[in-house]
Amino acid sequence: MTVRDTLSGDDRLVPSPAAMRRVLGHFCTGVAVITGHDGQQPHGFTCQSITSVSLEPPYISFCPAASSTSWPLIRNTGAVCVNVLANDQGSICTQFARSGTDKFSEIRWHRGHNGSPALDGALACIEADVEFEHAAGDHTIVVARVTALEAHAARDPLLFFRGGFGGFHSDAPAAKTP
Ligand SMILES: Cc1cc2nc3c(=O)[nH]c(=O)nc-3n(C[C@H](O)[C@H](O)[C@H](O)COP(=O)(O)O)c2cc1C
């Protein structure tokens, strides 16, 4: 079955929220949990809208929904950790996608260099300071300056595609991080 076969005529013409979610779901991505710590407690939410923006200076971007209750609390701290999830962390992805719950229950984590929670077992951790925010419809585009990086060579990624999870195994040697 081709992709076109799965779309209704309306999906091809009208960028409704449902069509946006369904068609953009064909852009396979990794998944991360973005965390922050306000000095009293940790906060976090699952996020896939992460992009490398600039190498010099080192910027990343991500897009929290305007409805996110965790993002305002994390933004107030000024610093984040982007925890890129490994392929055995699907349950963590789901846990951090449930608003209004105790997201850190049973989660093993420690505070990173900037104080934000670094989740044990993550594929990579990217620490960054929030620099710019741009309103964009029902989401916000956040640009943050990277302050520390870490990746784990022996782990594979958790992937998100068409609303489901999958994996990918690479034989390529892992890049060294500073
Ligand atoms: C695979 C996946 C990707 C997601 N990507 C995003 C995202 O890019 N931005 C976002 O705001 N929410 C995203 N979500 C939804 C949030 O995780 C969810 O709405 C959030 O946990 C709300 O909790 P909060 O109210 O504590 O912020 C994603 C959820 C899943 C399962």
Side-chain angles (χ1 to χ4, degrees):
M1 181 185 286
T2 65
V3 169
R4 176 171 289 207
D5 290 337
T6 69
L7 303 178
S8 71
D10 283 351
D11 277 356
R12 285 198 289 272
L13 295 173
V14 181
S16 65
M20 286 289 288
R21 191 184 292 271
R22 188 139 58 102
V23 175
L24 272 294
H26 291 78
F27 186 56
C28 183
T29 68
V31 191
V33 171
I34 295 184
T35 59
H37 200 293
D38 63 13
Q40 302 295 318
Q41 58 179 328
H43 305 284
F45 66 102
T46 299
C47 186
Q48 71 177 142
S49 53
I50 294 157
T51 305
S52 172
V53 173
S54 166
L55 302 182
E56 280 186 341
Y59 284 134
I60 56 167
S61 72
F62 55 89
C63 299
S67 60
S68 169
T69 58
S70 295
W71 173 242
L73 302 172
I74 297 171
R75 178 184 53 208
N76 284 347
T77 74
V80 301
C81 181
V82 176
N83 294 270
V84 180
L85 297 182
N87 63 353
D88 60 352
Q89 294 184 308
S91 62
I92 293 179
C93 173
T94 305
Q95 183 162 328
F96 278 89
R98 289 196 197 106
S99 190
T101 59
D102 179 7
K103 295 188 176 182
F104 283 81
S105 173
E106 315 265 325
I107 299 290
R108 295 165 60 103
W109 59 279
H110 58 279
R111 291 183 74 167
H113 300 95
N114 69 1
S116 302
L119 305 187
D120 292 1
L123 178 63
C125 291
I126 304 158
E127 295 185 13
D129 293 339
V130 175
E131 280 209 8
F132 313 109
E133 286 186 82
H134 307 279
D138 54 15
H139 281 63
T140 302
I141 301 169
V142 178
V143 178
R145 182 186 285 254
V146 175
T147 53
L149 291 162
E150 187 182 9
H152 294 273
R155 298 173 191 162
D156 289 321
L158 179 68
L159 301 183
F160 191 66
F161 177 65
R162 284 192 200 157
F165 298 109
F168 173 80
H169 175 70
S170 171
D171 293 325
K176 288 186 183 141
T177 52

